[in-house]
C-alpha cells in the first residue's frame, strides 16, 4: 500500500514557481468593475414564452463561455507555475584511473608451465585469462594496451571501451613484437602515452617473465622518466619454477631468468610495487591486490533531472481561449 501511495505521489508534478498560483483569483476583480449599459438595438419579442426561452438560452451560453475562460485561465496559471517531473536517476561518472597495461610477448611467454581450468597452458594464455577478468572489474577506467618483445608497440590508446582492449589482448600472440624483451622501451612508451593525463591517475602495470635484452632504454632509466612524469609503475614477474625446458627436461636455475632486482627497483622508484607470480592462482591474487591499491572510486549520489511540463497546460489554455472566442462569435 505504501509503495502504491509513493508511486502515485511521484506522478504528481512539482511546481518551480508555485507563487504564480496567487494570480488565479485576479479575474474576480472584473466583477467589481462597473458595467456599462448597452443602448444598442434590441430584439423585441412579442410573446412572453419566447422571450423567457431566449433569456435561458443566452444565460446558458454565457455560463459555458465563462467556464471555458476560467479553465483557460487555470491552465495559464499552471503553465506560469512551471510544472516539472523528476526523470530517471542518473549516476555521475566515476573517478577512475588512466592505466596502461604492458604485456610481454617475448618467446618465453609460450612456455607451457601454467594451469588454467585443470589444463596445462602457456604463460600468455594464463595471463590473458587473468587480465580479461581484471578488465571486467575496471569499469570507469580509461585503459590502453601495450605489448613488447624486441620492440614496444601500443595496440590501443587510452579508452573507456574495455571490450576493444580485451579483443586486442585476445588476438595477441607470442612473437608479435619480436622474441626478445625490451622492458625499458615498454615502460618509456607507456609513460609517453600517459603524459597528458591528469596527475595522480597515471598508472602502468607491466607483466613480464624475462630480463631486459633489447631496446634502447634501460629499465631504471625508464623508471626515472616515469617518476618525473608522476607515473606509478607496478611490475609483475610471471613464470613458474623451472620455466625453461629442453626436450621436455626442466633446466635448473630457470627462475633466475626473471630480473626481480631490477623490477623491484623500477616499482619502488615510481611509487608502485613489485609482485612475483609463479602460477595462475598467484597472478589472480596480484591483480585483485592491484584493484585494492588503485581503486575505482564509487560514483557520487545519483541526480534526477527535472523535466519541464509547462507546454501542456500552456497549449491547453490556448485551445480553451480559442474555443471561448469562437463560442462568443457564434452567439453574436
Amino acid at each position: 500500500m505504501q509503495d502504491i501511495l509513493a508511486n502515485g505521489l511521484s506522478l504528481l508534478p512539482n511546481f518551480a514557481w508555485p507563487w504564480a498560483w496567487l494570480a488565479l483569483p485576479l479575474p474576480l476583480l472584473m466583477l467589481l468593475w462597473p458595467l456599462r449599459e448597452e443602448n444598442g438595438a434590441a430584439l423585441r419579442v412579442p410573446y412572453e414564452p419566447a422571450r423567457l426561452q431566449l433569456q435561458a438560452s443566452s444565460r446558458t451560453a454565457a455560463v459555458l463561455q465563462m467556464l471555458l475562460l476560467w479553465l483557460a485561465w487555470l491552465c495559464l496559471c499552471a503553465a506560469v507555475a512551471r510544472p516539472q517531473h523528476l526523470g530517471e536517476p542518473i549516476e555521475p561518472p566515476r573517478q577512475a584511473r588512466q592505466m596502461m597495461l604492458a604485456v610481454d610477448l617475448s618467446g618465453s611467454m609460450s612456455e607451457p608451465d601454467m594451469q588454467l581450468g585443470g589444463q596445462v597452458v602457456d604463460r600468455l594464455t594464463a595471463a590473458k585469462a587473468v587480465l580479461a577478468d581484471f578488465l571486467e572489474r575496471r569499469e570507469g577506467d580509461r585503459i590502453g594496451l601495450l605489448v613488447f618483445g624486441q620492440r614496444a608497440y601500443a595496440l590501443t590508446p587510452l579508452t573507456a571501451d574495455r571490450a576493444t582492449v580485451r579483443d586486442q589482448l585476445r588476438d595477441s600472440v607470442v612473437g608479435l613484437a619480436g622474441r626478445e624483451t625490451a622492458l625499458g622501451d615498454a615502460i618509456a612508451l607507456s609513460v609517453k602515452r600517459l603524459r597528458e593525463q591528469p596527475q595522480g591517475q597515471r598508472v602502468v602495470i607491466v607483466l613480464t617473465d624475462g630480463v631486459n635484452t633489447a631496446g634502447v632504454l634501460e629499465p631504471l632509466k625508464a623508471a626515472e622518466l616515469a617518476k618525473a612524469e608522476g607515473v606509478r609503475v607496478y611490475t609483475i614477474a610471471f613464470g613458474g619454477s623451472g620455466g625453461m625446458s629442453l626436450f621436455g627436461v626442466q633446466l635448473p636455475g630457470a627462475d633466475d631468468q626473471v630480473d626481480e632486482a631490477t623490477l623491484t627497483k623500477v616499482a619502488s622508484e615510481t611509487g608502485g610495487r613489485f609482485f612475483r607470480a609463479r602460477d595462475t592462482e598467484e597472478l589472480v591474487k596480484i591483480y585483485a591486490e592491484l584493484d585494492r591499491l588503485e581503486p575505482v572510486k564509487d560514483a557520487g549520489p545519483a541526480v534526477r533531472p527535472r523535466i519541464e511540463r509547462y507546454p501542456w497546460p500552456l497549449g491547453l489554455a490556448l485551445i480553451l481561449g480559442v474555443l471561448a472566442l469562437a463560442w462568443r462569435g457564434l452567439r453574436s
Side-chain angles (χ1 to χ4, degrees):
M1 184 64 182
Q2 292 180 350
D3 293 340
I4 296 176
L5 182 60
N7 292 333
L9 292 176
S10 65
L11 296 176
L12 297 176
N14 297 316
F15 294 97
W17 297 340
W19 45 264
W21 287 108
L22 296 176
L24 186 61
L26 286 180
L28 295 176
L29 298 178
M30 298 296 296
L31 299 177
L32 304 178
W33 195 265
L35 298 178
R36 181 172 58 87
E37 294 184 2
E38 297 183 358
N39 295 322
L43 176 65
R44 297 185 178 278
V45 182
Y47 299 102
E48 185 68 17
R51 184 179 66 82
L52 293 176
Q53 184 179 1
L54 185 61
Q55 287 179 348
S57 176
S58 178
R59 194 176 298 113
T60 301
V63 170
L64 183 58
Q65 181 186 4
M66 184 62 65
L67 179 61
L68 288 174
L69 291 174
W70 268 105
L71 289 176
W73 179 250
L74 175 66
C75 293
L76 189 60
C77 290
V80 174
R82 286 181 58 195
Q84 299 173 336
H85 270 115
L86 295 178
E88 293 297 324
I90 300 176
E91 289 189 0
R94 297 185 177 188
Q95 297 180 9
R97 297 290 190 268
Q98 315 297 318
M99 184 180 297
M100 289 297 299
L101 301 179
V103 181
D104 189 350
L105 296 184
S106 62
S108 57
M109 288 293 287
S110 62
E111 187 67 32
D113 58 354
M114 293 294 158
Q115 292 280 337
L116 184 64
Q119 297 181 350
V120 177
V121 297
D122 59 76
R123 296 175 183 176
L124 182 58
T125 299
K128 286 180 179 180
V130 176
L131 278 169
D133 183 63
F134 176 72
L135 288 169
E136 281 294 325
R137 301 193 299 269
R138 302 304 301 188
E139 182 180 1
D141 281 348
R142 295 179 69 240
I143 299 176
L145 177 63
L146 182 145
V147 297
F148 62 97
Q150 187 173 354
R151 295 183 180 179
Y153 299 97
L155 293 186
T156 60
L158 288 169
T159 177
D161 186 1
R162 293 170 294 147
T164 298
V165 179
R166 189 165 52 247
D167 291 343
Q168 290 285 355
L169 177 65
R170 181 193 60 211
D171 295 338
S172 301
V173 295
V174 171
L176 179 65
R179 309 291 295 185
E180 298 182 61
T181 306
L183 178 60
D185 288 2
I187 297 173
L189 183 56
S190 299
V191 171
K192 182 179 179 181
R193 294 285 179 173
L194 294 169
R195 183 173 294 162
E196 303 300 326
Q197 303 307 316
Q199 286 280 356
Q201 300 182 13
R202 308 170 186 173
V203 177
V204 176
I205 301 177
V206 181
L207 174 70
T208 182
D209 70 340
V211 181
N212 186 72
T213 57
V216 297
L217 201 63
E218 290 295 325
L220 294 181
K221 183 62 178 180
E224 294 177 8
L225 295 176
K227 181 180 180 181
E229 295 293 341
V231 177
R232 291 185 298 279
V233 180
Y234 295 91
T235 55
I236 303 174
F238 186 42
S241 58
M244 297 182 65
S245 64
L246 181 62
F247 302 113
V249 179
Q250 300 293 339
L251 299 180
D255 274 348
D256 296 336
Q257 297 299 319
V258 180
D259 190 356
E260 296 187 16
T262 298
L263 293 175
T264 302
K265 290 179 182 178
V266 168
S268 61
E269 180 75 13
T270 60
R273 279 184 57 181
F274 166 73
F275 299 94
R276 184 69 171 96
R278 290 179 172 81
D279 53 40
T280 308
E281 185 178 350
E282 288 184 353
L283 189 63
V284 170
K285 293 179 180 179
I286 287 171
Y287 278 101
E289 178 68 8
L290 288 172
D291 278 334
R292 187 187 66 82
L293 294 174
E294 298 290 343
V296 178
K297 294 184 179 179
D298 292 333
V303 178
R304 300 187 68 181
R306 294 182 179 273
I307 304 173
E308 297 286 350
R309 299 299 187 189
Y310 70 86
W312 295 96
L314 180 60
L316 185 57
L318 292 175
I319 293 173
L320 292 172
V322 170
L323 288 176
L325 293 176
W327 188 261
R328 182 175 181 179
L330 291 175
R331 286 180 57 202
S332 301

